[in-house]
Amino acid sequence: MKQKLNEQITLVASVVKWSCYASIVGVLVGLGTTVFLRALSWTSGQCERVPNSYLYLPLALLASSLLVQWLAPDAAGHGTEKVIEAVHKRMGRIPLAVVPVKLVATVITLAGGGSAGKEGPCAQIGAGLASGFGRLLRLEPLDQRKLVICGISAGFATVFGTPIAGALFGIEVLVLGQMLYDVLFPSFVAGIVGYHVATQLGVQYSYQVGRVIPELTSRSFAEMLLLGIWCGLVALLLIEAMKVIHKLFDNLPWHRSMNALLGGCILVLIGALVSKRYLGLGLETIDAGLRGEVLPVGAFLWKGLATAITLGCGGSGGVVTPIFFIGTAAGNLFAQLLSEPYVATFSAIGMVALLAGAANTPIAASVMAMELFGPAIAPHAAVACMVSFLIVGYRSIYPSQVLGIQKSASLKVATGKPVGEVEVAVVSHREKSLIGFMAMALRLVKKRER
């Protein structure tokens, strides 16, 4: 009896402890996110007053790149990747200097017209603040790591206004195919508190619940399967484009600062010759697609290219907002090809399905669909998200993401390694492969014909 009582007291004490720790992290991240979003809004507003401000994009990318190189190299790229690496390799220890540097560098990149997102900085700001708070308390390494994961979750929750999906994303994105249940409760607390603090400080979020959802039929189910395959292939294209363009810039025979100038010039050409809609956050295009407006056929390709160039040449920012743009455009195009009347719904499902594939986070993406668009979209979004997740295979927009499962018994991989280091081998069991199954079916058909 005494042992059971001690067990319950210990569990209650643990809940109280992590409620307090996670709440403090949520408050810190809510404040940090609010400062970042307001700075971004003010700076972007000032740049909009300047005619053709995107022409100054090369200088903006140069300033952002030099700022990161000189003051905080860990703030490079799209933020979330560095945080995942810190969680797996350094037990979540992140220099506090990353927080202001990432904030300023991302504001410069986005306000100047760079194609990036705002979630990476918020995740890195959240993780950096949580890491600093953990060092202040002199926590054990495992508790320090849990606190940083709470900061990641709170960062995603507060930047998109999705406290549950944000918390899930923070723990699902670390390991492909596994959820860190020991951090689930504090991540929820940090995400909810961070979201509440941000809303109380005036941060506003956009929700689009009142849309028409098609009835769940055999036809709509088949369409969701096809949409999931389509979004998985687009996600795969984005991942490979990011990798190739980043490598091309790294191999150029001059100083990195010249990469920023070159990348900025290419983006200026895209804005001048194609459309300025592919520069910056692109929120207007996302909103247009979610309202059911028809988007340009090549929108997802141009946005993917602009994002890969921005982050590959030295710009600072996240990658999820561009993923939302690309997914919305991909779903929109899919609806056009099928002559579907539910263009807005397909755009919305494409948005979350591409996130599920590119980041390997199908559960968080499915929950995000419900938080943003209402519960009626759940069965459609869940199918598309899971299919997209499977189609991408063992690739990720975050190469430091650790592989936790095998997506197919016919593809032999070693788990426990970063996705960027995984080598895939096809198992030579014919009964486990689609080709073997098709060959067997063909033989049966020939026997019947005889």
Side-chain angles (χ1 to χ4, degrees):
M1 181 66 182
K2 184 178 180 181
Q3 183 178 358
K4 291 183 178 179
L5 182 61
N6 288 335
E7 178 185 347
Q8 295 306 310
I9 291 174
T10 302
L11 291 174
V12 170
S14 178
V15 169
V16 172
K17 166 189 168 182
W18 283 107
S19 294
C20 295
Y21 283 174
S23 295
I24 295 173
V25 169
V27 171
L28 292 174
V29 177
L31 291 170
T33 300
T34 301
V35 170
F36 167 70
L37 293 178
R38 287 190 173 177
L40 178 60
S41 177
W42 182 85
T43 309
S44 299
Q46 296 300 312
C47 290
E48 287 175 359
R49 298 180 181 179
V50 179
N52 297 321
S53 60
Y54 73 97
L55 296 176
Y56 299 98
L57 183 50
L59 296 178
L61 291 179
L62 176 62
S64 176
S65 176
L66 292 177
L67 184 67
V68 170
Q69 289 178 40
W70 290 342
L71 300 180
D74 282 342
H78 48 85
T80 308
E81 167 66 14
K82 291 291 186 181
V83 173
I84 295 173
E85 182 181 314
V87 168
H88 289 310
K89 296 183 178 180
R90 300 191 297 274
M91 297 301 288
R93 294 187 67 84
I94 299 172
L96 197 59
V98 165
V99 176
V101 172
K102 190 65 179 179
L103 189 154
V104 175
T106 304
V107 167
I108 292 173
T109 297
L110 292 175
S115 176
K118 54 187 178 180
E119 89 298 328
C122 290
Q124 201 160 21
I125 289 169
L129 292 173
S131 180
F133 177 58
R135 289 197 297 274
L136 183 66
L137 297 178
R138 297 183 178 179
L139 295 179
E140 296 179 356
L142 287 177
D143 284 352
Q144 167 87 8
R145 182 173 180 264
K146 288 177 68 173
L147 209 62
V148 169
I149 295 172
C150 292
I152 300 171
S153 296
F156 282 111
T158 51
V159 74
F160 291 124
T162 53
I164 305 303
L168 287 172
F169 189 91
I171 59 176
E172 190 180 13
V173 75
L174 297 172
V175 181
L176 192 160
Q178 292 183 5
M179 298 280 282
L180 304 179
Y181 284 95
D182 59 327
V183 202
L184 190 58
F185 168 69
S187 291
F188 278 152
V189 173
I192 293 170
V193 171
Y195 168 75
H196 177 70
V197 169
T199 53
Q200 291 301 307
L201 292 175
V203 176
Q204 297 181 346
Y205 303 101
S206 175
Y207 302 99
Q208 304 210 18
V209 178
R211 67 184 60 254
V212 179
I213 308 297
E215 185 181 352
L216 189 59
T217 62
S218 57
R219 173 185 169 84
S220 66
F221 182 77
E223 288 178 343
M224 289 305 111
L225 288 174
L226 293 174
L227 179 58
I229 294 173
W230 168 240
C231 288
L233 294 174
V234 174
L236 184 59
L237 180 63
L238 173 64
I239 293 169
E240 293 302 319
M242 294 278 289
K243 186 187 305 181
V244 169
I245 291 179
H246 196 280
K247 187 176 294 186
L248 287 175
F249 276 112
D250 284 345
N251 291 334
L252 291 175
W254 51 54
H255 193 267
R256 287 184 179 181
S257 58
M258 295 300 295
N259 291 351
L261 291 174
L262 175 61
C265 291
I266 296 173
L267 291 172
V268 168
L269 289 176
I270 291 175
L273 302 178
V274 184
S275 175
K276 289 187 288 185
R277 73 163 71 227
Y278 306 120
L279 306 180
L281 286 169
L283 298 180
E284 298 83 1
T285 302
I286 296 174
D287 289 339
L290 296 178
R291 288 194 302 268
E293 296 181 20
V294 174
L295 301 180
V297 172
F300 73 96
L301 290 173
W302 285 112
K303 185 62 176 179
L305 178 62
T307 302
I309 291 172
T310 299
L311 298 177
C313 75
S316 178
V319 74
V320 173
T321 308
I323 284 175
F324 285 167
F325 184 116
I326 297 166
T328 301
N332 194 283
L333 176 59
F334 187 83
Q336 294 178 50
L337 294 175
L338 292 185
S339 299
E340 273 289 338
Y342 304 104
V343 175
T345 301
F346 275 74
S347 298
I349 296 173
M351 186 182 96
V352 294
L354 200 88
L355 175 64
N360 287 298
T361 54
I363 297 175
S366 300
V367 174
M368 181 175 286
M370 290 186 282
E371 287 192 284
L372 292 176
F373 310 118
I377 205 171
H380 304 277
V383 171
C385 287
M386 284 306 306
V387 173
S388 177
F389 163 74
L390 293 172
I391 289 296
V392 168
Y394 303 107
R395 299 173 183 85
S396 175
I397 203 73
Y398 306 120
S400 294
Q401 191 177 57
V402 171
L403 182 63
I405 62 165
Q406 294 187 8
K407 290 187 179 183
S408 171
S410 297
L411 297 174
K412 186 179 180 180
V413 292
T415 57
K417 294 183 177 180
V419 174
E421 301 175 7
V422 167
E423 294 184 1
V424 182
V426 179
V427 178
S428 60
H429 297 303
R430 296 179 67 188
E431 68 274 15
K432 290 184 179 181
S433 68
L434 179 60
I435 297 175
F437 175 78
M438 293 174 64
M440 184 175 62
L442 184 60
R443 285 198 301 270
L444 290 174
V445 170
K446 287 183 178 180
K447 285 181 179 181
R448 288 185 179 182
E449 289 178 350
R450 292 175 184 173

